[in-house]
Amino acid sequence: MFRGGLLRIYGRGRAEKVAAFSQPTTECFHAWRKRVKYLWYHLQILQPLWPAQLKAVERDCDRLADRLGEEHDLAVLLDTPSVRELLESRSEGADLLFSAVFRERERQRRAAIPLAQRIYVENARQFVDRIEGYWLAYRPHSQFLPN
């Protein structure tokens, strides 16, 4: 069944979330984003078990991945050769660019917090137990679904 994989993905996502906020580096936020995307993919597959409930979590995962993706794109922007060269010039424009990018990255990180709190409200075992409950409730009725 799906239990082991989902337990691992959800648990690692929770751990990466803690790492990202305790060590707010580009690498930590990017690693967390990957885990959120893995969970999102799983939820897309499992959504028919309880569409209304899982669609909300799936949507939050998608939004969180977008926030973390925007944050990462800005980090990559600062690391491009032409922008690095501009920042090294220490010009007024470079300072403005760096400040704007820094503020937007912080805004994206703050916007991720309520999404992360909703997605990762349960520990991994509780989350998987809940999804398994949906699965068990769904299975007896699946014989009536069209092929």
Side-chain angles (χ1 to χ4, degrees), residues 49-89:
L49 299 178
W50 191 346
Q53 186 76 4
L54 291 178
K55 184 65 178 172
V57 181
E58 179 195 336
R59 188 174 44 247
D60 281 346
C61 284
D62 190 30
R63 289 177 180 156
L64 178 56
D66 285 348
R67 296 283 185 209
L68 298 174
E70 294 280 334
E71 192 278 340
H72 188 259
D73 289 349
L74 291 165
V76 170
L77 172 69
L78 288 178
D79 202 36
T80 58
S82 57
V83 173
R84 271 199 322 245
E85 185 179 315
L86 174 65
L87 293 175
E88 288 169 3
S89 74

Side-chain angles (χ1 to χ4, degrees), residues 29 67 70-75 77-78 87 92-113:
F29 274 92
R67 296 283 185 209
E70 294 280 334
E71 192 278 340
H72 188 259
D73 289 349
L74 291 165
L77 172 69
L78 288 178
L87 293 175
E92 185 178 331
D95 291 343
L96 289 171
L97 174 64
F98 182 79
S99 295
V101 169
F102 180 82
R103 279 192 311 273
E104 184 58 20
R105 286 182 74 192
E106 284 299 309
R107 191 180 76 75
Q108 295 295 341
R109 289 178 180 186
R110 280 192 308 276
I113 293 169

